[in-house]
């Protein structure tokens, strides 16, 4: 009827069908359609008793499949008509035949009323169902009602059934695409494997070679007597000298867990550490713990150790000599100052009278008189021994420079006042000398030099009636005057004079000439060579040395200073000292090189002037820091021996006034005395 | 584009610094190793960068001497490192190809290297190795305190090895009484020992949970540690060999389990001594392995049989003293410091450190816990070390002191009076034994008292309680007596000089006055004073002048050097001044407090 050939289907298909049928009346319409498709054969007239049909069907199929879990159909159905529509037996009194060939009788039909009454009487009637196929009443057990209820809810009929159980594949799929295969056993299963034997050979070889070892190798002792008993017979490796790592610093009192109280920084000090830069902060701040048990673990232990490691392998190591030198040993061995006496040591006299800073002093060649020029516009002449002021000239303008004529018999004085240079007659000396001087200071023929070229426009020789002297009128301010040793020539320097900055005047002929060389830089000072016709011009950077006879540049001395302020030449003529505004003093040995033989950084402020002594091996420098230094400067006749320079004394005494200290210093021509002129309007004489 | 700074024409050979030094990257290229391997090689071989006079490649490179690089290149270690690298690659490859068998096979055949020849190369003599032992000991002691951390590749094995090495070293030092100084700092405990004339200082951290930081590359540290472990192992071997003790020591497992390694080691020494006396041929290599094992077992048993209370050890010590006549005075001093003392450590006291220090100075020590040689109830205990605010049960026969007493006594080399170190008191300041107080220019108070005590112990003469206030006159005498420190003498001398100067001036003034009495009226006394002051200033000025003048003729280099020295001196002076000022402040504060209390 419904299943035309239930026996002929394959087991798997059967199970499938069974599963299908087992499925309850799913509410799922899709499922329903599925069912419909399978049971497509004869779907007619099945509207009635579908339920029952299903039951029967399931029982049958369950019979066929042993492993069915259902325990419902243990008794065979009474009906033996088979799978035919019940309609055909509607009017019969039997439903099939039993095994003995007798009719299986139907039961008497109860009329509606009886059945109703029975149902009303019996409280369990609702459980009873009439099975039309077997023609019997079946009473549903509790389990069955439950089952039906579950079915109605659309759940799986059995409570213990898990519809979503994980799928278990019972079949072993080794080397098989399908669950079953009927391929014959391959030959290789029966013959010894070639590859296995190869592998064996490989292993055998490995074992023979010793690559595979079965017993573990005997462990050699990792530690042994490395250095031997006699450590003396060590062979030094021919390697670079080993520099042992520096040992870490040993801890001091402050690192103790319980340091003395004075090692503990106060709270304010700790607070000030916070204001410091991180690098400057102390790495370790002492702490105090009163007992052993309260010491905590040091928080930087690992970090310190790590940093030490880094130092050991990353820092370049250099063997450095620990300077444990006595600072005394660093001082050069110099002859004792006592052996170098005499030299000026103490202030012996003070010449007072000027009302402004004394800008320049000059000592008469005999050493009897000293002339000074001051900012208050006066030139004074003093007696050296007593400090008496002999003469005063009121010139009205600050006196920049004064210079005695180097000739003893010509007592005249050159003074620079602004842009003028006055050549004054001092009135000293005997009558003969006076006469000569007066004669010299008369300008006989003023026109003689005027007709010469451009000089006239920048300079004029004038007769000054007031002071009875010669006035050389320059076109710029004159900063320094220097006499030639023979007393006839004098040179003047005008720093702002550009190409005509340095002029040389001849007193006897009243002639003036320009220095016939190209100027380089700003001239500061000029000096004549003490013995030869050589002329030194100091510019701001270097010193140029000219030969006046041959009209040639002989040498350029490179001072390597920032700004030269003064220059002095050794009386022998081969050595020059140069003072600079950065407080450095350079000694040049002209035979040696054009670079300084020695540079002395002695003054913290500008050096204003430097001077050599004419006969003693002394030289001095004075500076705005109110001090004057006296040095021993010995020049040897032996050319191979370098000059000996020994600082001897620092002379103090002057006071500073508006930033200037000692402005000029000069040595006495015969005695080892030094005159200094200060901005505090006094002149001091320092004696030995 | 101009020529580079150090241009070399193409055909010209390199010479000078350019040929002698290579940068790090050049060195790596030359050696054909990775940077990390290069680092390891440098650490093992002890190669460090050098500072060439002229840095050819620029200032920002590190330079290695070419000879150093060649030194690495010719070491078999380099080949070994390459092998390890290749081996690692092989394993990785085998695993990636799922060749588990090969990987397993490879894993069982890991290449390993030994550092013995490297150590021999770096330290040709044993003394060389001892000289550089500071860093290894510090590092090993630190790692002995660290926990094993997988993340940082710090293995348990490594930590255990470090602990063992530490204990072995300490046992040797303690046994031979070579410890000289101990200093408890915030950072840990510094020990200084003198072995074969080398002063070895190391730092052992306090036995606390260490703080681990992130900003540390443990790979570098572990490389160092690897080398240090090997070095210390060999050094220990040598030291034990010199004592005729077998190395590595076999310890009583019971004591080892109780973490009393040091004590176990000391017992091992005793036992070993006995056996070596009984059968000196034990050391012979003829014994088979089994026999050796047996002897080991017997050794361990023998240790257990040794009487717990140490007279045996003491007897040995006496015997030793007879035999070791060559040992120096310092060692004898150290050995006899705690000679007749029996010291007991309470439970809260840092045991390891004291177990190391006390026997090193000849004392007998026990502790609270299993395996201890004698118990707390022992009547012969003379001192008990206690570190707690109060002590409940007190035995009258012994003194209760804080642990600092041990360390201070050790540093002072005398038994200090125990009053200041009693339980519950704040102990006196713990001073560093590494400081030369006189050179430093400041002597703490407690150092002075210790000095007095030392002098007293030496002469058995009680020092005068109060020093004369007029230091000036006494300074000479006191110097002769040897009580006063150098700095004080110097200060006194300075004062004296000043006074003498003043005196001289005064005399001069007097003379002048005498001479001029007739001519000049007497000036007012105020003026007189002024002139005096001026004179004094002049004298100072002249001194400064002469200083200036001498500096004038120095070369620039020397002048700089002199300046640096002077600055250093000044800094030291400032530091001392600061300390003195603080001390004054503290004293003033204390005084005022006392007054308050009285009032």
């Amino acid at each position: 009827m419904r299943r035309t050939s239930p026996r002929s289907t394959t087991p798997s298909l059967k199970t499938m069908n069974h599963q299908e049928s087992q499925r309850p009346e799913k509410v799922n319409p899709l499922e329903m359609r599925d069912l419909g498709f399978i049971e497509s054969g004869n779907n007619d007239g099945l509207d009635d008793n579908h339920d029952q049909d299903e039951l029967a069907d399931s029982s049958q199929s369950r019979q066929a499949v042993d492993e069915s879990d259902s325990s419902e159909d243990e008794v065979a159905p009474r009906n033996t008509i088979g799978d035919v529509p019940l309609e055909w037996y509607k009017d019969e009194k039997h439903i099939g035949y039993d095994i003995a060939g007798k009719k299986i009788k139907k039961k008497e039909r109860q009329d509606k009323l009886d059945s109703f009454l029975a149902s009303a009487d019996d409280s369990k009637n609702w459980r009873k169902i009439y099975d039309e196929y077997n023609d019997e009443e079946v009473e549903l057990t509790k389990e069955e009602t439950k089952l039906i209820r579950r079915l109605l809810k659309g759940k799986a009929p059995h409570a213990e059934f898990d519809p979503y159980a994980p799928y278990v594949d019972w079949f072993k799929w080794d080397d098989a695409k399908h669950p079953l295969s009927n391929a014959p056993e391959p030959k290789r299963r029966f013959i010894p494997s070639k590859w296995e034997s190869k592998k064996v050979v490989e292993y055998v070889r490995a074992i023979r070679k010793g690559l595979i070892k079965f017993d573990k190798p005997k462990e050699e002792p990792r530690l042994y007597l490395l250095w031997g008993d006699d450590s003396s017979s060590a062979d030094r490796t021919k390697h670079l000298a080993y520099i042992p790592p520096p040992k870490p610093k040993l801890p001091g009192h402050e690192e103790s867990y319980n340091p003395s109280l004075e090692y503990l920084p106060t709270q304010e000090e700790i607070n000030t550490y916070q204001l410091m830069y991180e690098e400057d902060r102390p790495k370790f701040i002492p702490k105090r713990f009163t007992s052993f048990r309260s010491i905590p673990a040091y928080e930087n232990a690992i970090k310190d150790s790590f940093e030490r490691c880094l130092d050991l392998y990353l820092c370049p190591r250099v063997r450095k000599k620990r300077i444990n030198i006595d600072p005394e040993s660093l001082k050069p061995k110099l002859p004792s100052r006592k052996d170098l006496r005499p030299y000026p040591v103490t202030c012996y006299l003070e010449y007072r009278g000027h009302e402004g800073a004394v800008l320049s002093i000059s000592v008469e060649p005999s050493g009897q008189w000293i002339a000074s020029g001051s900012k208050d516009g006066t030139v004074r002449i003093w007696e050296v021994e007593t400090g008496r002021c002999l003469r005063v000239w009121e010139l009205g303008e600050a006196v920049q420079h004064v210079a005695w004529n180097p000739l003893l018999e010509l007592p005249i004085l050159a003074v620079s006042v602004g842009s003028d240079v006055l050549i004054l007659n001092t009135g000293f000396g005997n009558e003969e000398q006076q006469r000569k001087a007066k004669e010299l200071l008369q300008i006989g023929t003023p026109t003689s030099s005027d007709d010469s070229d451009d000089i006239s426009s920048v300079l004029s020789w004038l007769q000054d009636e007031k002071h009875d002297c010669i006035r050389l009128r320059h076109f710029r301010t004159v900063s320094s005057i220097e006499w030639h040793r023979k007393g006839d020539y004098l040179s003047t320097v005008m720093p702002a004079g550009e190409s005509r900055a340095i002029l040389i005047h001849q007193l006897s002929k009243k002639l003036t000439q320009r220095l016939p060389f190209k100027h380089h830089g700003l001239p500061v000072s000029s000096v004549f060579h003490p013995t030869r016709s050589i002329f030194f011009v100091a510019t701001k950077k270097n010193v140029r040395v000219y030969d006046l006879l041959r009209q040639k540049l002989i040498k350029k001395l490179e001072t390597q200073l920032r700004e030269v302020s003064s220059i002095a030449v050794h009386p022998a003529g081969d050595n020059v000292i140069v003072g600079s505004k950065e407080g450095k003093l350079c000694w040049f040995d002209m035979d040696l090189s054009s670079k300084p033989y020695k540079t002395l950084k002695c003054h913290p402020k500008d050096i204003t002037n430097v001077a050599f002594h004419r006969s003693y091996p002394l030289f001095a420098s004075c500076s705005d820091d109110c001090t004057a230094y006296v040095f021993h400067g010995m020049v040897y006749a032996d050319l191979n021996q370098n000059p000996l320079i020994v600082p001897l004394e620092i002379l103090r005494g002057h006071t500073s006034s508006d930033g200037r200290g000692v402005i000029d210093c000069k040595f006495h021509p015969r005695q080892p005395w030094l005159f200094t002129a200060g901005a505090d309007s006094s002149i001091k004489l320092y004696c030995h | 584009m101009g020529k580079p700074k150090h241009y070399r024409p193409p055909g010209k050979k390199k010479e000078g610094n350019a040929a002698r030094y290579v940068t790090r990257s050049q060195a790596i290229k030359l050696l054909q190793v990775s940077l990390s391997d290069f680092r390891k090689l440098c650490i093992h071989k002890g190669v460090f960068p050098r500072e060439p006079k002229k840095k050819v490649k620029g200032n920002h490179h590190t330079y290695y001497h070419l000879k150093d690089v060649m030194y690495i290149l010719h070491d078999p270690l380099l080949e070994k490192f390459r092998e390890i690298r290749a081996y690692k690659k092989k394993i990785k490859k085998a695993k990636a190809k799922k060749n588990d068998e090969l990987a397993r096979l490879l894993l069982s055949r890991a290449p390993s290297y030994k550092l013995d020849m490297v150590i021999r190369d770096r330290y040709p003599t044993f003394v060389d190795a001892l000289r550089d032992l500071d860093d290894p000991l510090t590092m090993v002691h630190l790692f002995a305190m660290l926990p094993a951390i997988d993340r940082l590749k710090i293995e348990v094995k490594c930590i255990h090895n470090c602990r063992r090495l530490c204990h072995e070293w300490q046992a040797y030092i303690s046994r031979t009484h070579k410890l000289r100084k101990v200093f408890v700092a915030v950072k840990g405990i510094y020990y200084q020992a003198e072995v074969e004339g080398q002063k070895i200082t190391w730092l052992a951290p306090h036995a606390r949970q260490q703080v681990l930081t992130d900003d540390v590359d443990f790979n570098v540290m572990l490389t160092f540690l690897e080398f240090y472990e090997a070095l210390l192992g060999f050094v220990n071997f040598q030291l034990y060999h010199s004592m005729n003790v077998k190395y590595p020591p076999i310890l009583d497992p019971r004591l080892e389990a109780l973490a009393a390694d040091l004590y176990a080691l000391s017992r091992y020494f005793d036992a070993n001594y006995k056996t070596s006396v009984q059968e000196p041929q034990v050391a012979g290599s003829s014994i088979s392995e089994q026999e050796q094992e047996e002897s080991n077992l017997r050794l361990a048993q023998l240790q257990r049989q040794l009487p717990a209370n140490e007279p045996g050890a003491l007897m040995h010590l006496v015997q030793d003293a007879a035999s070791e006549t060559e040992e120096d005075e310092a060692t004898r001093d150290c050995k006899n410091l705690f000679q007749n003392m029996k010291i007991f450590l309470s439970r809260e006291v840092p045991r390891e450190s004291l177990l190391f220090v006390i026997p090193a100075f000849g004392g007998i020590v026990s502790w609270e816990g299993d395996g201890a040689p004698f118990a707390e109830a022992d009547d012969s205990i003379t001192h008990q070390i206690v570190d707690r605010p109060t002590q409940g049960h007190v035995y009258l026969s012994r003194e209760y002191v804080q642990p600092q007493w041990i360390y201070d006594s050790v540093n002072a080399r005398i038994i200090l009076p125990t009053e200041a170190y009693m339980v519950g008191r704040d102990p006196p300041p713990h001073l560093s034994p590494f400081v030369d107080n006189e050179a430093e220019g400041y002597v703490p108070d407690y150092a002075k008292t210790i000095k007095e005590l030392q002098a007293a112990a030496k002469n058995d003469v009680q020092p005068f309680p109060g020093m004369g206030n007029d230091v000036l006159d006494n300074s000479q005498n006191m110097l002769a007596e040897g009580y006063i420190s150098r700095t004080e003498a110097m200060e006194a001398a300075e004062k004296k000089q000043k006074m003498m100067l003043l005196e001289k001036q005064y005399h001069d003034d007097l003379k002048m006055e005498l001479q001029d009495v007739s001519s000049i009226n007497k000036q007012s006394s105020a003026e007189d004073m002024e002139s005096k002051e001026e004179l004094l200033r002049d004298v100072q000025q002249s001194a400064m002048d002469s200083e200036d003048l001498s500096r004038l003729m120095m070369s620039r280099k020397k002048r700089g050097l002199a300046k640096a020295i002077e600055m250093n001196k000044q800094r030291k002076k400032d530091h001392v001044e600061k300390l003195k000022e603080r001390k004054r402040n503290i004293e003033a504060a204390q005084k005022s407090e006392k007054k308050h209390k009285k009032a």
Side-chain angles (χ1 to χ4, degrees), chain B residues 356-488:
Chain B
F356 165 44
V357 172
I358 294 170
F361 288 87
I364 302 167
V365 66
S366 176
W367 64 93
E368 202 172 314
D370 291 339
F374 49 87
E376 191 178 357
D378 197 326
D379 287 336
S380 54
I381 293 171
T382 55
H383 292 80
Q384 181 158 349
I385 313 291
V386 171
D387 188 14
R388 52 179 89 172
T390 50
Q391 174 71 16
H393 181 259
V394 174
Y395 290 89
L396 289 175
S397 62
R398 62 184 78 157
E399 293 190 68
Y400 289 85
V401 286
Q402 296 191 29
Q404 198 193 320
W405 176 76
I406 295 279
Y407 298 117
D408 280 352
S409 298
V410 159
N411 289 335
R413 293 288 153 71
I414 49 166
I415 304 294
L416 291 174
T418 53
E419 292 97 62
Y421 299 93
M422 299 276 254
V423 179
R425 282 196 196 172
D426 279 3
H430 181 55
L431 299 173
S432 167
F434 302 114
V435 178
D436 181 2
N437 283 321
E438 267 108 60
E440 208 69 16
Y442 177 77
V443 188
D445 283 344
Y446 196 57
K448 283 178 199 165
T449 54
I450 286 181
K451 211 158 203 184
E452 278 167 24
L453 288 168
Q454 277 173 332
K458 222 175 237 173
N459 304 342
D460 281 329
V461 178
Q462 209 60 23
F464 331 170
M467 292 284 181
N469 273 340
D470 42 354
V471 183
L472 214 118
D473 299 332
N474 278 356
S475 71
Q476 298 292 324
N477 306 343
M478 288 210 280
L479 260 179
E481 271 175 89
Y483 288 141
I484 195 167
S485 58
R486 224 185 306 157
T487 43
E488 270 178 28

Side-chain angles (χ1 to χ4, degrees), chain A residues 355-369:
Chain A
E355 278 140 30
V358 184
L359 297 180
S360 174
I361 47 172
S362 180
V363 191
E364 203 243 355
S366 66
Q368 202 174 354
W369 319 105

